[in-house]
Amino acid sequence: MSIRQKVLFRIKSVEFDKVNVPKKVSTYFGENTFSAETMQKHISKATFDAFKLWMSEGKTITLKQANQIAEAMKSWAIAKGATYYTHWFQPMTGLTAEKHDSFISITGPGKVIEKFSGNKLIQGEPDASSFPSGGIRATFEARGYTAWDPSSPAFIIESALGKTLCIPTIFISYHGEALDKKLPLLRSDEALNKAALNLVKLFGRKDAKKIFSTCGPEQEYFLIDKNYYNLRQDLVMAGRTLVGAPSPKGQQLEDQYFGTIKERVVNFMFEVAQEAYKLGIPVMTRHNEVAPHQYEFAPIFEESNLAADHNQLLMDLMKKVALRHNLVCLLHEKPFAGINGSGKHLNWSLADDQGNNLLNPGETPEDNLQFLAVLVAVLRAVYLHADLLRASVALAGNEHRLGANEAPPAIISVFLGEQLTKVLDMLEKGVKTKVSKRDIIDLGIARLPKFNKDSTDRNRTSPFAFTGAKFEFRAVGSSQNIATPIAVLNTIIAESLDFVAEQISKASASGKDFNSAVLKVISQVIKETKAVRFEGNNYSQEWLKEAQKRGLPNVAATYQALEALAEEKNIKLFEKYKVFSREELLARYHIWVHLYNLTLEIEANTLFEMVNASIVPAGYKYEKLLASTLYQLIKLKKDAGLSVDAAALKDKKEHLSDIISKIYYVRRNATEMVKLLEKAKKASDEKRAELYFKELKPLMEHIRRHVDALECVVSDDAWDLPKYREMLFIK
């Protein structure tokens, strides 16, 4: 019996005490966050008013006020059981980082008190020497600084034996350059606010003081049993299976999607939601996804900075809680070949401080000029800056997903739906006809209600779709920190909002009445951006040809997509809106190319080890069994006159020859892979990435084909690696 088979019999669900009367979510939602409401209870009115002004108008609080907030935060955290605090930040690895400090301060021999000052709240100094900086700072210098981000509330993380106060911060170099994901996002929201306010004021909106992007990232993920995970070196090292034959049953029956959720998984989901609610993360929806043992969480919309922080926290929670259930949460974009991978559909919209959604069409979208002006600004942004959107989702894991028949392709296009397309076509031609926002759907059965049809359609194949008062950027990878895609979206849309506002002002100044001026500008932008709109199947071969005719870029390789970050026009754009400096943008280009290379190297070295330590030995064991059987048959035929059908004997010989060939090709290509890795060491990061994409990845796939073929014939007793049919259909 193989190790894999032994593990199969040990797998069982984790037993939990039954909860008879669950608490209402509203009674504990956000209990572990130092929200504005909580802060208000612990500080003076003057300090709280100053804090609110800081948030709304950027008027910095005094050190005395910071000390009062710090003391309140410390008292609240200690009352909750916290003994340590940390400045929680998001370096350019895409993960989160933290250095914990105790609240204690020495007051005398053997005596301490809990102390936390405004200075410690506002600024920290972690060792930055090992975080990627892309040349922004010398690697031998440890200096890096964290600075409090008061727009995202502090929170408490609970572990089995204690609690820690986490303070969301930005992470910067000695000279102030952004070393993290958060600061550029905050800068982009400032740029977007300024541009959007400028536009809406043209439409007579004087009441809005702040306009900001809002997001709701839908988080897809896989779960597998921890016992299987521990037996798969590739999952442990690379987060995805580097070998593995398809299961006879995968997702072809589509019986997983939105189906009944297994009890073991529901228990996991309940605990994730409970922990998330304590942290104020508004998890709203949970369901099965398309692939076996693939699932999704979706939150309610929040301000983008908070949504980004909450998504990072949610991913951490999912991984921690999964382990308590003897499961492992896989966030890689493509953990299993042959079935759907995981994305993070980033729902993006614009809102103001009065509660208005700028992407809400209203009752009659063709008459809602402000909505249409914002809509065409988004179209223009995507049309002109598709390269930046593609770069914002470029990483090794997502490379397996984009362009496959499960995810939006690497071609960035926009889907608007039938009704909005008609409206834009009319405006382009100058034709004015009435289009009702709501149509009634009558199902023809008296006991079923009539209901209003949404003004938007849905298109799962579109990378950027309008889905009703929001756009859905579907190309984002499941493991990604969403801060970068949001920062890019905010920036390119800010630039387009400025353009549209400028053109409207010019048209109005030329003597046209305001509405006519707006319609003229909208019509012109519609014409100029028509190529980026596509309502059909983005997966089809016809679309590839059509997109090429339209001049839309189709960039499959990560290293090529990232080159957009180093283009002069894009550097100037980000510098103009003060989101990234030249140095910061080039640093990110170099870091992400380097991370791509490291990811591929880890995968290749892991595959080489698996081939030599697990796969080939299993093949040899089976090969020996076949050879021994064949030898005995031939010997018995010769010595004992055993009657053996010639065709049967030939079949055994061919089967043995086939196994020998498969093992040979696996070993030969694995040796070639190591030679390629050695060759790559002499190349620059850019050339290395090109070599890995064009040569290493196809070579790894070639090895995989032979390994998967071996898996299908080698006896179960010899094959120790857990198989897809087991990992994807756990108890």
Side-chain angles (χ1 to χ4, degrees):
M1 183 181 289
S2 66
I3 297 172
R4 188 189 93 253
Q5 290 172 315
K6 291 176 182 176
V7 164
L8 178 62
F9 294 111
R10 291 206 304 265
I11 290 176
K12 60 181 180 179
S13 298
V14 177
E15 298 295 327
F16 293 94
D17 294 333
K18 186 177 179 182
V19 179
N20 293 316
V21 187
K23 288 195 296 182
K24 288 170 61 178
V25 173
S26 57
T27 64
Y28 67 93
F29 187 83
E31 69 177 25
N32 280 350
T33 61
F34 192 68
S35 62
E37 292 77 9
T38 303
M39 182 189 298
Q40 188 175 14
K41 295 174 185 175
H42 291 81
I43 61 177
S44 68
K45 183 179 184 303
T47 298
F48 185 69
D49 289 343
F51 178 81
K52 286 197 298 182
L53 274 177
W54 188 18
M55 293 299 93
S56 60
E57 300 179 21
K59 295 181 180 178
T60 310
I61 59 174
T62 65
L63 179 58
K64 182 179 178 181
Q65 290 164 338
N67 281 331
Q68 190 180 145
I69 293 172
E71 178 62 29
M73 193 183 291
K74 179 206 74 176
S75 299
W76 169 80
I78 289 174
K80 288 273 187 181
T83 53
Y84 279 77
Y85 72 92
T86 181
H87 281 180
W88 183 80
F89 59 100
Q90 301 170 34
M92 284 188 274
T93 57
L95 304 172
T96 58
E98 51 198 60
K99 181 192 78 170
H100 294 203
D101 288 300
S102 173
F103 285 118
I104 64 169
S105 179
I106 299 281
T107 58
K111 294 182 180 180
V112 298
I113 60 167
E114 281 78 13
K115 190 176 180 182
F116 186 52
S117 68
N119 281 329
K120 286 185 177 180
L121 167 63
I122 289 172
Q123 182 178 312
E125 187 178 353
D127 183 348
S129 59
S130 294
F131 289 109
S133 66
I136 286 178
R137 43 171 300 288
T139 55
F140 59 83
E141 293 177 352
R143 284 179 177 172
Y145 298 98
T146 53
W148 178 33
D149 170 21
S151 66
S152 184
F155 55 90
I156 287 174
I157 290 293
E158 300 177 330
S159 62
L161 298 179
K163 299 179 181 181
T164 305
L165 171 66
C166 299
I167 303 162
T169 58
I170 61 169
F171 183 43
I172 58 174
S173 73
Y174 178 73
H175 296 290
E177 294 100 344
L179 292 174
D180 69 343
K181 299 273 191 174
K182 178 185 274 280
L183 180 53
L185 171 55
L186 293 171
R187 291 170 177 169
S188 74
D189 251 336
E190 288 289 328
L192 186 66
N193 175 49
K194 185 177 178 182
L197 283 173
N198 184 39
L199 178 67
V200 300
K201 282 176 182 175
L202 295 178
F203 289 86
R205 287 288 313 282
K206 307 295 184 184
D207 56 332
K209 296 291 188 291
K210 180 184 176 184
I211 295 177
F212 47 89
S213 62
T214 60
C215 287
E218 301 169 20
Q219 181 67 57
E220 294 178 341
Y221 61 97
F222 280 85
L223 292 173
I224 70 164
D225 190 274
K226 188 168 72 171
N227 293 287
Y228 282 144
Y229 176 82
N230 289 336
L231 287 177
R232 294 285 314 210
Q233 301 98 303
D234 46 5
L235 285 177
V236 174
M237 292 289 105
R240 75 179 184 99
T241 53
L242 301 172
V243 296
S247 168
K249 179 189 176 186
Q251 63 188 53
Q252 62 267 51
L253 295 179
E254 297 183 345
D255 53 348
Q256 158 86 359
Y257 194 44
F258 274 66
T260 302
I261 305 172
K262 295 177 182 177
E263 185 174 356
R264 185 178 184 185
V265 176
V266 165
N267 286 338
F268 158 80
M269 289 177 167
F270 269 119
E271 188 172 356
V272 168
Q274 187 177 51
E275 295 295 322
Y277 292 151
K278 289 180 186 177
L279 292 168
I281 304 171
V283 176
M284 180 72 174
T285 303
R286 65 188 188 200
H287 61 80
N288 287 355
E289 259 299 335
V290 176
H293 256 293
Q294 185 188 32
Y295 308 94
E296 180 181 291
F297 282 120
I300 299 172
F301 270 58
E302 301 178 281
E303 285 196 40
S304 290
N305 180 43
L306 193 55
D309 283 1
H310 279 169
N311 185 247
Q312 289 297 110
L313 278 173
L314 180 63
M315 288 193 290
D316 284 344
L317 276 178
M318 288 160 63
K319 288 185 280 190
K320 290 176 184 176
V321 171
L323 294 175
R324 298 175 198 163
H325 293 252
N326 215 30
L327 296 166
V328 172
C329 177
L330 302 177
L331 294 173
H332 192 283
E333 285 71 23
K334 191 73 171 177
F336 301 100
I339 58 174
N340 277 14
S342 296
K344 180 144 48 190
H345 302 165
L346 182 61
N347 296 284
W348 183 96
S349 193
L350 273 175
D352 65 22
D353 56 346
Q354 304 300 307
N356 300 303
N357 183 339
L358 274 63
L359 283 172
N360 189 343
E363 288 303 311
T364 54
E366 73 281 8
D367 287 336
N368 190 332
L369 288 184
Q370 180 182 289
F371 160 73
L372 290 169
V374 174
L375 180 72
V376 298
V378 175
L379 286 177
R380 180 181 174 276
V382 177
Y383 176 66
L384 290 180
H385 304 292
D387 59 336
L388 285 172
L389 286 177
R390 175 67 184 88
S392 76
V393 295
L395 67 158
N398 223 12
E399 199 171 64
H400 296 280
R401 207 180 132 256
L402 295 180
N405 288 340
E406 72 197 60
I411 305 166
I412 303 294
S413 64
V414 179
F415 171 84
L416 292 179
E418 181 183 353
Q419 191 174 107
L420 274 177
T421 296
K422 285 181 180 177
V423 171
L424 265 58
D425 287 345
M426 285 189 300
L427 290 170
E428 180 189 354
K429 296 169 186 173
V431 180
K432 182 72 172 175
T433 61
K434 192 70 177 173
V435 178
S436 172
K437 179 181 183 253
R438 296 194 179 277
D439 296 323
I440 299 297
I441 294 179
D442 187 348
L443 299 174
I445 300 174
R447 64 177 176 272
L448 293 180
K450 296 178 182 180
F451 62 93
N452 292 320
K453 183 170 69 174
D454 198 333
S455 63
T456 60
D457 300 322
R458 294 291 186 270
N459 185 335
R460 289 180 58 82
T461 71
S462 176
F464 202 86
F466 185 74
T467 53
K470 61 184 173 64
F471 279 95
E472 186 177 352
F473 188 20
R474 296 174 53 86
V476 182
S478 54
S479 70
Q480 274 194 273
N481 184 319
I482 61 174
T484 297
I486 299 171
V488 169
L489 263 175
N490 287 353
T491 306
I492 64 176
I493 291 172
E495 189 272 336
S496 271
L497 291 171
D498 276 344
F499 174 84
V500 169
E502 182 183 355
Q503 295 305 307
I504 290 172
S505 296
K506 285 181 180 178
S508 298
S510 66
K512 284 184 176 289
D513 70 272
F514 181 74
N515 285 358
S516 298
V518 173
L519 285 170
K520 178 186 175 184
V521 172
I522 289 172
S523 176
Q524 188 61 36
V525 175
I526 291 169
K527 290 173 185 174
E528 291 171 356
T529 63
K530 197 167 186 177
V532 83
R533 286 160 46 203
F534 181 64
E535 302 298 301
N537 181 4
N538 292 67
Y539 297 163
S540 67
Q541 290 300 309
E542 290 75 19
W543 170 234
L544 295 179
K545 297 172 186 174
E546 174 62 24
Q548 190 174 17
K549 285 182 187 176
R550 297 186 185 189
L552 300 180
N554 181 7
V555 185
T558 295
Y559 77 94
Q560 288 180 320
L562 289 172
E563 288 172 0
L565 302 178
E567 289 189 19
E568 193 62 29
K569 68 179 180 69
N570 293 329
I571 292 172
K572 287 180 178 177
L573 170 70
F574 284 113
E575 285 190 322
K576 175 183 177 182
Y577 286 92
K578 299 178 181 178
V579 175
F580 293 110
S581 67
R582 176 182 295 271
E583 292 74 18
E584 289 170 338
L585 203 57
L586 291 176
R588 279 151 182 79
Y589 166 66
H590 291 299
I591 287 168
W592 293 333
V593 170
H594 184 58
L595 287 176
Y596 175 79
N597 291 339
L598 291 178
T599 300
L600 268 292
E601 287 165 6
I602 290 169
E603 289 184 354
N605 286 317
T606 301
L607 179 57
F608 184 73
E609 182 183 324
M610 291 176 73
V611 161
N612 288 294
S614 298
I615 294 156
V616 169
Y620 283 158
K621 187 175 179 181
Y622 185 58
E623 180 186 80
K624 182 180 178 181
L625 174 65
L626 291 177
S628 175
T629 304
L630 182 60
Y631 175 79
Q632 292 296 329
L633 281 176
I634 293 172
K635 185 171 174 51
L636 286 170
K637 181 181 179 184
K638 179 182 177 182
D639 296 346
L642 179 69
S643 177
V644 180
D645 187 284
L649 195 61
K650 182 183 176 184
D651 178 64
K652 287 189 178 296
K653 289 178 181 178
E654 288 176 350
H655 186 37
L656 177 58
S657 295
D658 184 50
I659 295 298
I660 292 170
S661 294
K662 283 180 170 62
I663 294 171
Y664 166 69
Y665 285 122
V666 168
R667 279 186 49 77
R668 189 186 76 175
N669 287 304
T671 302
E672 289 299 314
M673 182 174 66
V674 172
K675 289 179 182 177
L676 185 61
L677 291 172
E678 283 299 314
K679 174 184 171 184
K681 288 180 180 178
K682 301 172 184 176
S684 66
D685 272 350
E686 291 81 0
K687 289 293 182 183
R688 189 181 302 184
E690 182 179 3
L691 186 68
Y692 286 169
F693 180 78
K694 292 181 177 178
E695 296 186 36
L696 179 62
K697 288 187 69 175
L699 189 54
M700 291 174 67
E701 284 303 309
H702 194 58
I703 294 168
R704 179 176 194 142
R705 282 196 299 274
H706 290 296
V707 170
D708 292 356
L710 268 178
E711 181 187 319
C712 292
V713 293
V714 169
S715 66
D716 262 8
D717 282 350
W719 198 265
D720 285 335
L721 291 174
K723 299 186 176 187
Y724 275 26
R725 61 179 163 82
E726 296 155 350
M727 291 186 289
L728 293 172
F729 296 95
I730 62 172
K731 301 172 187 175

